[in-house]
PDB file of all heavy atoms in Angstrom:
ATOM      1  N   SER A1587      58.238 -58.675 -94.649  1.00  0.00           N
ATOM      2  CA  SER A1587      58.922 -59.334 -95.835  1.00  0.00           C
ATOM      3  C   SER A1587      57.921 -60.117 -96.669  1.00  0.00           C
ATOM      4  O   SER A1587      58.156 -60.317 -97.875  1.00  0.00           O
ATOM      5  CB  SER A1587      60.019 -60.157 -95.373  1.00  0.00           C
ATOM      6  OG  SER A1587      59.569 -61.140 -94.458  1.00  0.00           O
ATOM      7  N   GLU A1588      56.837 -60.639 -96.047  1.00  0.00           N
ATOM      8  CA  GLU A1588      55.819 -61.376 -96.756  1.00  0.00           C
ATOM      9  C   GLU A1588      54.816 -60.442 -97.353  1.00  0.00           C
ATOM     10  O   GLU A1588      54.051 -60.899 -98.260  1.00  0.00           O
ATOM     11  CB  GLU A1588      55.143 -62.322 -95.815  1.00  0.00           C
ATOM     12  CG  GLU A1588      56.014 -63.341 -95.137  1.00  0.00           C
ATOM     13  CD  GLU A1588      56.332 -64.560 -96.052  1.00  0.00           C
ATOM     14  OE1 GLU A1588      55.579 -64.881 -96.974  1.00  0.00           O
ATOM     15  OE2 GLU A1588      57.350 -65.231 -95.812  1.00  0.00           O
ATOM     16  N   VAL A1589      54.657 -59.238 -96.836  1.00  0.00           N
ATOM     17  CA  VAL A1589      53.555 -58.328 -97.302  1.00  0.00           C
ATOM     18  C   VAL A1589      54.060 -57.497 -98.419  1.00  0.00           C
ATOM     19  O   VAL A1589      53.414 -57.315 -99.474  1.00  0.00           O
ATOM     20  CB  VAL A1589      53.136 -57.424 -96.149  1.00  0.00           C
ATOM     21  CG1 VAL A1589      52.058 -56.452 -96.585  1.00  0.00           C
ATOM     22  CG2 VAL A1589      52.588 -58.298 -94.983  1.00  0.00           C
ATOM     23  N   GLY A1590      55.305 -56.940 -98.328  1.00  0.00           N
ATOM     24  CA  GLY A1590      55.781 -55.985 -99.360  1.00  0.00           C
ATOM     25  C   GLY A1590      55.132 -54.665 -99.208  1.00  0.00           C
ATOM     26  O   GLY A1590      54.658 -54.299 -98.107  1.00  0.00           O
ATOM     27  N   GLN A1591      55.007 -53.859-100.231  1.00  0.00           N
ATOM     28  CA  GLN A1591      54.453 -52.515-100.258  1.00  0.00           C
ATOM     29  C   GLN A1591      52.985 -52.597-100.040  1.00  0.00           C
ATOM     30  O   GLN A1591      52.258 -53.488-100.624  1.00  0.00           O
ATOM     31  CB  GLN A1591      54.707 -51.779-101.538  1.00  0.00           C
ATOM     32  CG  GLN A1591      56.239 -51.487-101.830  1.00  0.00           C
ATOM     33  CD  GLN A1591      56.746 -50.496-100.839  1.00  0.00           C
ATOM     34  OE1 GLN A1591      56.026 -49.451-100.476  1.00  0.00           O
ATOM     35  NE2 GLN A1591      57.944 -50.631-100.291  1.00  0.00           N
ATOM     36  N   LEU A1592      52.423 -51.730 -99.217  1.00  0.00           N
ATOM     37  CA  LEU A1592      50.952 -51.733 -98.925  1.00  0.00           C
ATOM     38  C   LEU A1592      50.198 -51.162-100.170  1.00  0.00           C
ATOM     39  O   LEU A1592      49.146 -51.746-100.547  1.00  0.00           O
ATOM     40  CB  LEU A1592      50.624 -50.960 -97.701  1.00  0.00           C
ATOM     41  CG  LEU A1592      51.042 -51.533 -96.447  1.00  0.00           C
ATOM     42  CD1 LEU A1592      50.804 -50.612 -95.285  1.00  0.00           C
ATOM     43  CD2 LEU A1592      50.354 -52.869 -96.112  1.00  0.00           C
ATOM     44  N   GLY A1593      50.724 -50.105-100.796  1.00  0.00           N
ATOM     45  CA  GLY A1593      50.179 -49.559-101.931  1.00  0.00           C
ATOM     46  C   GLY A1593      48.663 -49.267-101.803  1.00  0.00           C
ATOM     47  O   GLY A1593      48.292 -48.662-100.789  1.00  0.00           O
ATOM     48  N   ASP A1594      47.860 -49.634-102.760  1.00  0.00           N
ATOM     49  CA  ASP A1594      46.504 -49.324-102.738  1.00  0.00           C
ATOM     50  C   ASP A1594      45.639 -50.600-102.438  1.00  0.00           C
ATOM     51  O   ASP A1594      44.513 -50.719-102.883  1.00  0.00           O
ATOM     52  CB  ASP A1594      46.109 -48.810-104.183  1.00  0.00           C
ATOM     53  CG  ASP A1594      46.243 -49.722-105.252  1.00  0.00           C
ATOM     54  OD1 ASP A1594      46.836 -50.815-104.978  1.00  0.00           O
ATOM     55  OD2 ASP A1594      45.858 -49.453-106.393  1.00  0.00           O
ATOM     56  N   ARG A1595      46.136 -51.410-101.600  1.00  0.00           N
ATOM     57  CA  ARG A1595      45.374 -52.602-101.177  1.00  0.00           C
ATOM     58  C   ARG A1595      44.102 -52.252-100.497  1.00  0.00           C
ATOM     59  O   ARG A1595      44.018 -51.172 -99.860  1.00  0.00           O
ATOM     60  CB  ARG A1595      46.171 -53.515-100.250  1.00  0.00           C
ATOM     61  CG  ARG A1595      47.450 -54.100-100.894  1.00  0.00           C
ATOM     62  CD  ARG A1595      48.205 -54.876 -99.899  1.00  0.00           C
ATOM     63  NE  ARG A1595      49.554 -55.120-100.438  1.00  0.00           N
ATOM     64  CZ  ARG A1595      50.208 -56.233-100.221  1.00  0.00           C
ATOM     65  NH1 ARG A1595      49.629 -57.239 -99.498  1.00  0.00           N
ATOM     66  NH2 ARG A1595      51.440 -56.360-100.690  1.00  0.00           N
ATOM     67  N   GLN A1596      43.097 -53.062-100.596  1.00  0.00           N
ATOM     68  CA  GLN A1596      41.793 -52.871-100.016  1.00  0.00           C
ATOM     69  C   GLN A1596      41.669 -53.227 -98.580  1.00  0.00           C
ATOM     70  O   GLN A1596      42.186 -54.316 -98.214  1.00  0.00           O
ATOM     71  CB  GLN A1596      40.691 -53.595-100.877  1.00  0.00           C
ATOM     72  CG  GLN A1596      40.529 -53.112-102.346  1.00  0.00           C
ATOM     73  CD  GLN A1596      40.028 -51.768-102.448  1.00  0.00           C
ATOM     74  OE1 GLN A1596      38.859 -51.407-101.984  1.00  0.00           O
ATOM     75  NE2 GLN A1596      40.805 -50.810-102.978  1.00  0.00           N
ATOM     76  N   ILE A1597      40.982 -52.426 -97.851  1.00  0.00           N
ATOM     77  CA  ILE A1597      40.581 -52.790 -96.435  1.00  0.00           C
ATOM     78  C   ILE A1597      39.110 -52.852 -96.412  1.00  0.00           C
ATOM     79  O   ILE A1597      38.430 -51.988 -96.992  1.00  0.00           O
ATOM     80  CB  ILE A1597      41.206 -51.820 -95.460  1.00  0.00           C
ATOM     81  CG1 ILE A1597      40.847 -52.212 -94.032  1.00  0.00           C
ATOM     82  CG2 ILE A1597      40.865 -50.332 -95.774  1.00  0.00           C
ATOM     83  CD1 ILE A1597      41.599 -51.389 -92.955  1.00  0.00           C
ATOM     84  N   SER A1598      38.559 -53.945 -95.823  1.00  0.00           N
ATOM     85  CA  SER A1598      37.051 -54.050 -95.928  1.00  0.00           C
ATOM     86  C   SER A1598      36.528 -54.787 -94.645  1.00  0.00           C
ATOM     87  O   SER A1598      37.309 -55.447 -93.959  1.00  0.00           O
ATOM     88  CB  SER A1598      36.742 -54.877 -97.172  1.00  0.00           C
ATOM     89  OG  SER A1598      37.289 -56.185 -97.064  1.00  0.00           O
ATOM     90  N   LEU A1599      35.229 -54.609 -94.470  1.00  0.00           N
ATOM     91  CA  LEU A1599      34.558 -55.253 -93.389  1.00  0.00           C
ATOM     92  C   LEU A1599      33.121 -55.638 -93.827  1.00  0.00           C
ATOM     93  O   LEU A1599      32.405 -54.837 -94.397  1.00  0.00           O
ATOM     94  CB  LEU A1599      34.413 -54.317 -92.093  1.00  0.00           C
ATOM     95  CG  LEU A1599      33.705 -54.949 -90.920  1.00  0.00           C
ATOM     96  CD1 LEU A1599      34.395 -54.564 -89.591  1.00  0.00           C
ATOM     97  CD2 LEU A1599      32.201 -54.574 -90.867  1.00  0.00           C
ATOM     98  N   LYS A1600      32.807 -56.882 -93.529  1.00  0.00           N
ATOM     99  CA  LYS A1600      31.470 -57.361 -93.798  1.00  0.00           C
ATOM    100  C   LYS A1600      30.735 -57.717 -92.556  1.00  0.00           C
ATOM    101  O   LYS A1600      31.357 -58.273 -91.617  1.00  0.00           O
ATOM    102  CB  LYS A1600      31.500 -58.709 -94.673  1.00  0.00           C
ATOM    103  CG  LYS A1600      31.827 -58.440 -96.140  1.00  0.00           C
ATOM    104  CD  LYS A1600      31.787 -59.782 -96.862  1.00  0.00           C
ATOM    105  CE  LYS A1600      32.176 -59.536 -98.313  1.00  0.00           C
ATOM    106  NZ  LYS A1600      32.201 -60.897 -99.035  1.00  0.00           N
ATOM    107  N   LEU A1601      29.530 -57.245 -92.404  1.00  0.00           N
ATOM    108  CA  LEU A1601      28.652 -57.593 -91.278  1.00  0.00           C
ATOM    109  C   LEU A1601      27.579 -58.494 -91.785  1.00  0.00           C
ATOM    110  O   LEU A1601      26.787 -58.052 -92.676  1.00  0.00           O
ATOM    111  CB  LEU A1601      28.052 -56.288 -90.667  1.00  0.00           C
ATOM    112  CG  LEU A1601      27.256 -56.538 -89.438  1.00  0.00           C
ATOM    113  CD1 LEU A1601      28.148 -56.716 -88.191  1.00  0.00           C
ATOM    114  CD2 LEU A1601      26.309 -55.386 -89.144  1.00  0.00           C
TER     115      LEU A1601
END
Side-chain angles (χ1 to χ4, degrees):
S1587 57
E1588 300 278 337
V1589 178
Q1591 295 291 320
L1592 292 172
D1594 61 354
R1595 295 180 197 214
Q1596 295 291 299
I1597 180 168
S1598 63
L1599 180 142
K1600 286 182 181 178
L1601 185 77

